[in-house]
Amino acid sequence: MAAVVVSRRFRPVMEMALKALAVAACYYAAGRLGLLGRVGVEGVVVTPIWPPTGVAVASLLVFGVWVWPGIALGSFLVITSLTTPELTSIVTVAGNTAGPLCALLLLRGVGFRPDVSRLRDGTSLVFLGGLGAMLISATAGAAPQVWTGSLAPGDFLPVWLAWWVGDAMGVLLVTPLLLVLCRGTLLPRRPRVGRMPVRRWVEAGCLVAAALVLVPFAVFSSPSMLFLIFPLLIWAALRFELAGSMLCALFASVLTTYAAHQDRGTFFDLSNIEVMTKLQAFNGAAALTALLLSALVTEQRATRHSVQNACNELAELLEHLAAGEDPTESSGRRPPEAPDG
């Protein structure tokens, strides 16, 4: 009996430890993928999109604050895969952990909903979880390079800016997609409006076909044609909300990052600073367009359905009143009690 009590007592601890290990594995895998698009800015390796920050913020939103050791372990493993860990690596690991934790606290403070069903959720994720909290990780990553002499003080700003934007893009592009994937399993499911009709599936197929044709054309064409991607993002956000718009934005950002890494298309014959500036400007604009517009559309649709349900209930109530029936008895609901006093 004592063994059973002990096992029950430590079961939550074991579950949280397993979740932390899973987060560490996902963080490391995302880091290895993100390093495929790394570029050098003033001799320091940075990435235009750093997916581990998106993994970290989504993990904290889904599992809670106690999986932070998994984020720290995953960050340490990524650094170990690149170079021999030094004392300054502790500062970088601490910053990579503190940034997502700060994002969690800020988002909780404003009542953020993980389903991103309101415009305020989208703006909170952009300005608090992404641009605001990632100031910590960028500073903790770039500052030790100056302390050790690996980076000249005059080169701190461009490296810090590239680091900050890369971390923020990881939150804006990866976190919403992970939250969409977790919506039906680990997060409370939103009420379903109904099954998607066949014509919507046909439209989704047309959207996928358009993305597969238009995005590579816009990215790899010699003239700068990246603006052609934005009508596609608007289409996806208006018709398929967060899942469709963020998938399109991530596909466009990944393909654009590949083109920049290969020095092809619109990034041909540009310096590293010019490549990073152009690439990060496009990624930021695409992420903002997809995330904020889809959140606005979701909020408006939810409001419309709420109004429609209220109208249906009111119509049913009027029908009962016209027939001389007690609507509370027919619906099985108790009439509201009069307030005291």
Side-chain angles (χ1 to χ4, degrees), residues 126 169 172-173 233 246 249 253 282-292:
V126 171
M169 288 303 101
L172 301 188
L173 290 171
L233 296 176
M246 296 313 301
S253 297
F282 170 77
N283 288 340
L288 287 173
T289 301
L291 182 57
L292 297 183

Side-chain angles (χ1 to χ4, degrees), residues 122-137:
T123 55
S124 299
L125 186 62
V126 171
F127 295 104
L128 297 180
L131 301 179
M134 294 306 115
L135 294 171
I136 298 175
S137 59

Side-chain angles (χ1 to χ4, degrees), residues 246-263:
M246 296 313 301
L247 280 174
C248 284
L250 184 61
F251 173 63
S253 297
V254 169
L255 203 60
T256 306
T257 302
Y258 173 78
H261 187 66
Q262 297 295 323
D263 195 22

Side-chain angles (χ1 to χ4, degrees), residues 52-62 71 100 103-104 107 125 129 134 171 175:
T53 56
V55 173
V57 173
S59 301
L60 292 171
L61 289 171
V62 174
I71 299 173
L104 174 67
L107 292 175
L125 186 62
M134 294 306 115
V171 175
T175 298

Side-chain angles (χ1 to χ4, degrees), residues 175-227:
T175 298
L177 277 179
L178 294 178
L179 294 178
V180 169
L181 292 176
C182 296
R183 182 182 297 168
T185 54
L186 302 175
L187 294 174
R189 187 189 296 268
R190 285 190 302 169
R192 297 191 61 175
V193 178
R195 292 185 177 181
M196 193 165 68
V198 176
R199 59 184 178 82
R200 293 292 304 280
W201 285 108
V202 174
E203 184 181 1
C206 294
L207 177 61
V208 171
L212 293 177
V213 173
L214 184 60
V215 174
F217 171 76
V219 170
F220 292 106
S221 59
S222 296
S224 182
M225 306 286 284
L226 293 177
F227 60 88

